Every structure is written in C-alpha cells, then in structure tokens.
Amino acid sequence: VKGHKYLIRAMKVVLQRIKNAQLFIVGEGEEEKNLRDLARQLGIEKSVNFTKSVLDTSMVLAVIDVFVLPSVEEGLGLALIEALAAGRPVVASDVGGIYSVVKDNVTGLLVPAREPENLADAILKLLEDRELAGRLAANGQRFVRQYFALGEMVKKVEAVYKEAMG
C-alpha cells in the first residue's frame, strides 16, 4: 500500500536526467526483497538504498532533497507531516487524507497514485526548480506549525470535549 514499486519505477526516469540521484527507502517490510529485485531488474540497484527503520527521523530528513510518499492507500501520513515540519519539499499521491496536508502547488505536489511517470515528473520538478522546492517547503513547514503544533492540537481536542459536554 505504500507504493514503493511505483517510486522505484519513477527513479528509473529520474536517473535519465539526474545521473547521480539517490533514492532512500527507510524501513523494513515483507516487500523489501521484491523491491530490491525490481531495482535490480531496472538496472538501478546502485541508486536505490534500503535502510532500517529509525525512531528519530530528523537525521534522515536532514540529508534528503525531496520527500516522496507514493502510497496507494493512506490515512494522513505521519511521515509526511514530519517531512513538512522539517522543511522538506514533498511529493505525495493524491489518496486518502493526504490532500488535507499537501495542497497541490502550495505545500507540496500531488500526483495520481500508481503512475510512475507523473511521480517522476513531480520529483524532477522539485529537484530542478530549487526556488519552487524552497517555496513549497516553507509553505509546508508553516502549515504544519499552524495546524499540528502541540499547543494547537491540545486546544482543538479541548474544544471537541467542551462541545461534547455541552
């Protein structure tokens, strides 16, 4: 459901224009072998890196240029919110509740799910247009600070409780 196979296929397209691009897939799972095999079949295994899950994502987010969430199903995506909070430009599939955080061309780029070509185009757009990437990243970071800051979240939960209590 995370759509990594579409991301790996998109990476093949990205590498045609940006030869030294690197893809990092963070976390383990039952699909890892299939994903490694796909990268090998596409001849891009040296550009696709698999790393173990991490609790503190700040170090990973600090070294990436673009965060991509290629899910085919997703509620909201905590990793997406973390990437926005870290000031990273994001590309995400337009599925589930992602649209409530990623406003297309405002806080990130939305693409249709299961479409590697569109995914690659969006990734390339952010890698090649650093001004756009910076603007979207700054907007995303402001959005998360405004709507997902701890104090703000506490106020909203309190308001729900107060309304429910009459």
Side-chain angles (χ1 to χ4, degrees), residues 84-151:
L84 289 168
R88 292 293 165 244
V90 301
V91 174
S93 299
D94 191 5
V95 297
I98 290 176
Y99 71 92
S100 64
V101 177
V102 179
K103 310 294 184 193
D104 194 37
N105 281 305
V106 178
T107 61
L109 298 178
L110 286 176
V111 298
R114 298 181 175 93
E115 294 187 14
E117 289 286 334
N118 286 329
L119 192 56
D121 288 345
I123 294 166
L124 285 164
K125 189 174 188 177
L126 293 180
L127 289 174
E128 294 174 340
D129 187 343
R130 300 312 296 162
E131 186 178 315
L132 173 64
R135 188 175 74 246
L136 297 179
N139 290 344
Q141 194 171 44
R142 273 192 300 277
F143 178 84
V144 169
R145 286 184 177 155
Q146 181 178 356
Y147 293 101
F148 291 92
L150 181 59

Side-chain angles (χ1 to χ4, degrees), residues 75-90:
L76 182 58
L78 179 58
L80 182 61
I81 295 169
E82 290 176 345
L84 289 168
R88 292 293 165 244
V90 301

Side-chain angles (χ1 to χ4, degrees), residues 6-157:
Y6 304 107
L7 179 55
I8 291 172
R9 290 187 188 284
M11 185 63 176
K12 172 96 172 159
V13 176
V14 169
L15 286 165
Q16 292 169 0
R17 291 220 319 246
I18 303 177
K19 305 287 185 220
N20 64 344
Q22 294 289 307
L23 171 62
F24 290 89
I25 296 177
V26 180
E28 306 99 335
E30 58 190 47
E31 283 297 306
E32 184 175 339
K33 182 190 179 314
N34 294 334
L35 296 173
R36 286 180 183 274
D37 289 345
L38 176 60
R40 199 169 11 267
Q41 290 165 12
L42 295 173
I44 62 171
E45 67 274 10
K46 290 184 178 166
S47 299
V48 180
N49 306 279
F50 293 84
T51 63
K52 295 189 180 301
S53 295
V54 293
L55 291 177
D56 180 5
T57 59
S58 62
M59 289 182 63
V60 174
L61 291 169
V63 299
I64 64 170
D65 294 313
V66 176
F67 178 87
V68 183
L69 188 69
S71 298
V72 297
E73 294 177 25
E74 192 73 49
L76 182 58
L78 179 58
L80 182 61
I81 295 169
E82 290 176 345
L84 289 168
R88 292 293 165 244
V90 301
V91 174
S93 299
D94 191 5
V95 297
I98 290 176
Y99 71 92
S100 64
V101 177
V102 179
K103 310 294 184 193
D104 194 37
N105 281 305
V106 178
T107 61
L109 298 178
L110 286 176
V111 298
R114 298 181 175 93
E115 294 187 14
E117 289 286 334
N118 286 329
L119 192 56
D121 288 345
I123 294 166
L124 285 164
K125 189 174 188 177
L126 293 180
L127 289 174
E128 294 174 340
D129 187 343
R130 300 312 296 162
E131 186 178 315
L132 173 64
R135 188 175 74 246
L136 297 179
N139 290 344
Q141 194 171 44
R142 273 192 300 277
F143 178 84
V144 169
R145 286 184 177 155
Q146 181 178 356
Y147 293 101
F148 291 92
L150 181 59
E152 193 61 33
M153 296 294 286
V154 169
K155 287 179 192 174
K156 289 177 182 178
V157 170

